[in-house]
Amino acid sequence: MPTPRATGSRRAEVLPAFFLTLSLLSLSATAGAQVKPTGAGYPRVAAIGDVTAARFLAQATFGPDDAAIAAIIAEGIGPWIDRQMALPPTYHQPIVEQHLLEVETSLAGAGTLDQEARRQLAQSVNDLTVLSRRFAWWQTAMTAPDQLRQRVAFALSEIFVVSDHAAELFQQPRGLASYYDTLVRHALGNYRDLLREVTLHPVMGTYLSHLNNAKSNPETGTFPDENYSRESMQLFSIGLWELLADGRARLDPQSQQIPTYTNLEITELSKVFTGLGPGGLRTAFGRRADLTIPMRMYEEQHEPGTKTLLNGFVVPADQTGMQDVEDAIDNLFHHPNVGPFIGRRLIQRLVTANPSPEYLGRISAVFDDNGLGIRGDLGAMVRAILLDHEARERSGDLGAGHLQEPWLRYVALLRAFSAQSATGKFLNVGVAAEEALQQHPVSAPSVFNFFSPDYRPNGPLTVAGLAAPEFQITTTSTVISMANFLDEVVLRGNVAQLPQRGLLCLERLDVCVAAARCPDNACRQQLFRDLQRSPALQAIQRYQLRFDLSRELALANDPQKLVDRLALLLGGGSISMEARAAIVTAIAGIDQLEPRVRLGIYLTALAPEGAIVD
């Protein structure tokens, strides 16, 4: 493992400065003002438009960097959105397939092994194969040009949730990447197409158990599984309560909220989602599915008869199972709740936790009609969300903006300083990050995501009736774990968690083959202990991500200019002058330039003000 950048007595100076700064940052402060341009010869710090560009990029991408800020300033926000929407999608599954092929090719030199030895070797490189979809996520987040599409796909992954916490999905990197590509493909497309493809994807079918969902059997007393029918309404389309177009509750004559559905509609809809089984050739209902091929209908397993769905719509009895599915999707798609329900969730993930009724009403209207008579145009919705005056103007109101998700703060940190490896690969296992931040894409603890869209922490926000979803995973424990995690990433230089054992096997395949042939675990453990003490451990460090700090080092002799630049990249203009002054004071006492820069990054990344996108 790399040694800390600030060691010994120097690190002893850093820690008191850190605690001093945290105490200063805890003071209530206003958002930071723009900073005057720097003199010639310095990298960009903050000219007119920089703060606006950085703030927009925090909403619409995985985080600002110099090139993206310059593009926004040169093009303008509207044209930038148009250009992004015209870019072809960057898909995850091809990256997974290429990675798995490279691993397979590397292992081809293992020679002839018996079945048990092959199993042991596969287990040794398991972190390289099973986690390949995580590596693909990092590759696209860090390098894909279609940042807007990728950012919206990430938001959709927290609405149409599947998770590798399900044991049957953890070992399926191809399937999970294929499912994520469904979100990528339709992120700026039509909501109906998205809902249909999600419904038929075998990963969703596995996660919410409508894959191989059989019709009722009176003899055995079994009935269709209701998981997907329930969640497709509650979480993916209309929610629990009828809504007005502006997101406010529709009330009955007794001023009570009106449920959108009852148990009857859940049961009836579950009948629609019967008969869906493995897609592809030479397979059968009830068998394991290839999780990259859409499910298909097995008519003999589909529930016959009529089904009464939302608002009394009756699916006729004399049609095929897929016609039933299409009717059910249409029934959900045309429900008046979809615009405000999906609109609010997208606004929350991109702009603000508490959109005004007027803001949400405008977005719902775009869902109903994109101006060309088309319903469900997600691209038009996203454009309207990002260009709305409530998104583009800072109000200073208590409910404005939102706490940035911990995961997005981590990704933005890596993007801000162009983190990359000597190999060009982004092999970040992410387990340590997930434990510290309580987040990782496609790893939510349940179908209800990492946090509820309606979560309200105790205190002023609850009193004011305001939601703050991200605070559900921002606790006294996770604040400390994030500080410790960023210490590892920024101060110690361990930017990513490498799949160490798998990489060691590729570096010294002969040792891994010998370990695979061992008669017992004691023999294997000894060989791997020896391997970890060998030069191979240093060799795999070429896969470790490294920050490019050249621009920051050029400013390091002027702590104020350095902190202004860091505040732009990591705070988007939200970090006040008082907070910046505290950080300047903390880093000015560090004599060596790189430790000074790293401490500045660390403190700025932890600044509470910078965590709020407002």
Side-chain angles (χ1 to χ4, degrees):
M1 303 289 280
T3 54
R5 297 287 183 174
T7 57
S9 61
R10 179 60 55 204
R11 192 160 174 79
E13 294 177 25
V14 167
L15 291 177
F18 160 62
F19 289 115
L20 170 63
T21 303
L22 281 189
S23 66
L24 291 172
L25 293 182
S26 67
L27 299 175
S28 174
T30 59
Q34 290 187 351
V35 181
K36 295 180 180 179
T38 59
Y42 283 107
R44 176 179 294 280
V45 175
I48 295 173
D50 281 6
V51 170
T52 299
R55 176 175 175 268
F56 169 74
L57 289 165
Q59 297 170 335
T61 73
F62 284 119
D65 58 20
D66 287 316
I69 290 172
I72 295 295
I73 293 172
E75 296 179 79
I77 289 174
W80 183 89
I81 292 174
D82 292 340
R83 181 171 60 82
Q84 283 282 308
M85 289 187 171
L87 290 173
T90 303
Y91 290 122
H92 293 223
Q93 190 179 348
I95 301 173
V96 169
E97 298 291 355
Q98 179 62 32
H99 177 79
L100 292 175
L101 177 61
E102 290 174 0
V103 174
E104 181 181 346
T105 302
S106 298
L107 296 179
T112 303
L113 298 174
D114 60 36
Q115 184 175 356
E116 175 58 21
R118 285 198 302 272
R119 189 186 71 80
Q120 290 291 342
L121 183 60
Q123 185 174 331
S124 293
V125 298
N126 191 57
D127 55 358
L128 280 179
T129 55
V130 168
L131 299 176
S132 56
R133 73 94 189 160
R134 291 190 172 201
F135 307 152
W137 192 94
W138 275 106
Q139 196 81 28
T140 51
M142 295 295 293
T143 66
D146 55 325
Q147 276 286 297
L148 177 60
R149 179 185 293 274
Q150 298 296 329
R151 180 69 181 81
V152 175
F154 176 74
L156 291 173
S157 76
E158 297 187 341
I159 301 171
F160 297 87
V161 174
V162 300
S163 176
D164 64 7
H165 281 213
E168 60 270 39
L169 294 179
F170 181 76
Q171 301 285 339
Q172 300 288 340
R174 288 186 172 94
L176 288 170
S178 170
Y179 178 79
Y180 202 94
D181 283 346
T182 296
L183 308 181
V184 171
R185 181 162 42 255
H186 298 294
L188 304 175
N190 194 278
Y191 170 81
R192 190 197 184 280
D193 297 334
L194 171 63
L195 182 61
R196 182 185 188 277
E197 194 165 337
V198 163
T199 299
L200 296 178
H201 202 287
V203 165
M204 180 60 78
T206 299
Y207 190 60
L208 289 184
S209 54
H210 64 292
L211 169 65
N212 293 322
N213 186 23
K215 64 184 179 182
S216 303
N217 186 335
E219 293 182 3
T220 60
T222 57
F223 301 93
D225 187 284
E226 297 182 350
N227 270 354
Y228 187 72
S229 63
R230 180 186 302 105
E231 308 309 354
S232 65
M233 292 189 287
Q234 180 180 348
L235 301 176
F236 303 163
S237 60
I238 63 175
L240 293 172
W241 307 102
E242 290 193 13
L243 303 172
L244 299 171
D246 62 9
R248 291 179 297 177
R250 187 183 298 276
L251 303 179
D252 65 16
Q254 289 73 45
S255 297
Q256 299 297 310
Q257 293 189 74
I258 305 170
T260 51
Y261 59 87
T262 66
N263 283 335
L264 176 61
E265 280 84 12
I266 294 173
T267 299
E268 291 290 284
L269 185 57
S270 72
K271 297 175 183 177
V272 170
F273 299 128
T274 55
L276 292 171
L281 302 175
R282 295 185 297 277
T283 189
F285 190 85
R287 291 185 180 175
R288 293 188 64 178
D290 181 332
L291 297 189
T292 67
I293 300 176
M295 295 184 289
R296 68 178 178 90
M297 182 60 68
Y298 293 77
E299 294 292 344
E300 69 278 6
Q301 293 294 337
H302 182 69
E303 187 84 12
T306 62
K307 294 96 177 170
T308 303
L309 306 183
L310 297 169
N311 297 326
F313 175 78
V314 177
V315 175
D318 56 349
Q319 58 183 22
T320 67
M322 278 309 301
Q323 287 175 319
D324 283 6
V325 171
E326 298 289 357
D327 279 354
I329 290 172
D330 275 334
N331 183 239
L332 290 171
F333 176 58
H334 289 287
H335 193 285
N337 261 35
V338 181
F341 183 83
I342 295 297
R344 177 174 180 248
R345 276 148 182 75
L346 286 175
I347 293 171
Q348 284 187 315
R349 301 280 50 80
L350 301 177
V351 176
T352 178
N354 296 281
S356 71
E358 294 77 18
Y359 185 8
L360 185 48
R362 292 189 291 270
I363 303 309
S364 297
V366 173
F367 181 90
D368 292 343
D369 185 343
N370 68 351
L372 299 173
I374 297 174
R375 178 178 176 81
D377 185 342
L378 293 175
M381 281 185 80
V382 168
R383 180 183 173 86
I385 286 169
L386 293 173
L387 292 180
D388 194 273
H389 71 86
E390 288 195 33
R392 302 279 43 89
E393 299 170 8
R394 281 192 167 107
S395 70
D397 295 340
L398 177 63
H402 65 110
L403 178 67
Q404 190 80 308
E405 297 176 46
W407 185 260
L408 292 180
R409 292 171 66 189
Y410 175 38
V411 181
L413 176 70
L414 271 58
R415 285 178 54 81
F417 306 108
S418 304
Q420 56 186 321
S421 72
T423 65
K425 297 182 181 298
F426 292 83
L427 305 184
N428 193 350
V429 170
V431 173
E434 184 178 356
E435 290 176 354
L437 309 180
Q438 294 297 291
Q439 269 192 294
H440 192 292
V442 195
S443 297
S446 77
V447 73
F448 296 100
N449 194 30
F450 305 100
F451 38 74
S452 164
D454 302 313
Y455 178 76
R456 297 175 180 178
N458 291 329
L461 293 179
T462 295
V463 172
L466 297 172
E470 300 84 358
F471 275 94
Q472 193 166 4
I473 57 171
T474 304
T475 64
T476 53
S477 175
T478 59
V479 166
I480 293 171
S481 65
M482 182 167 192
N484 291 337
F485 177 69
L486 291 181
D487 176 288
E488 190 73 19
V489 169
V490 178
L491 298 181
R492 298 174 182 267
N494 295 320
V495 180
Q497 181 186 5
L498 295 179
Q500 190 175 90
R501 183 161 177 169
L503 291 175
L504 284 169
C505 277
L506 296 190
E507 188 68 24
R508 289 295 308 275
L509 181 58
D510 59 324
V511 176
C512 273
V513 170
R517 289 174 169 151
C518 274
D520 53 47
N521 281 332
C523 167
R524 278 186 286 273
Q525 290 170 1
Q526 184 59 51
L527 282 172
F528 275 110
R529 278 196 295 268
D530 293 342
L531 183 57
Q532 288 174 328
R533 290 192 288 264
S534 76
L537 188 61
Q538 291 301 315
I540 69 171
Q541 285 302 308
R542 66 182 184 275
Y543 291 94
Q544 180 58 267
L545 303 183
R546 308 291 182 194
F547 290 136
D548 177 1
L549 300 178
S550 56
R551 294 178 176 87
E552 289 67 40
L553 287 169
L555 295 173
N557 282 317
D558 190 329
Q560 183 64 62
K561 289 179 179 177
L562 172 62
V563 171
D564 288 341
R565 171 175 169 77
L566 300 179
L568 174 68
L569 292 174
L570 301 179
S574 295
I575 300 178
S576 67
M577 292 303 181
E578 292 87 347
R580 297 184 200 197
I583 298 173
V584 167
T585 299
I587 70 173
I590 306 297
D591 297 331
Q592 298 176 38
L593 295 188
E594 185 169 343
R596 176 182 293 179
V597 167
R598 288 181 178 273
L599 180 61
I601 294 171
Y602 176 67
L603 295 176
T604 307
L606 283 181
E609 296 169 334
I612 302 296
V613 179
D614 63 353

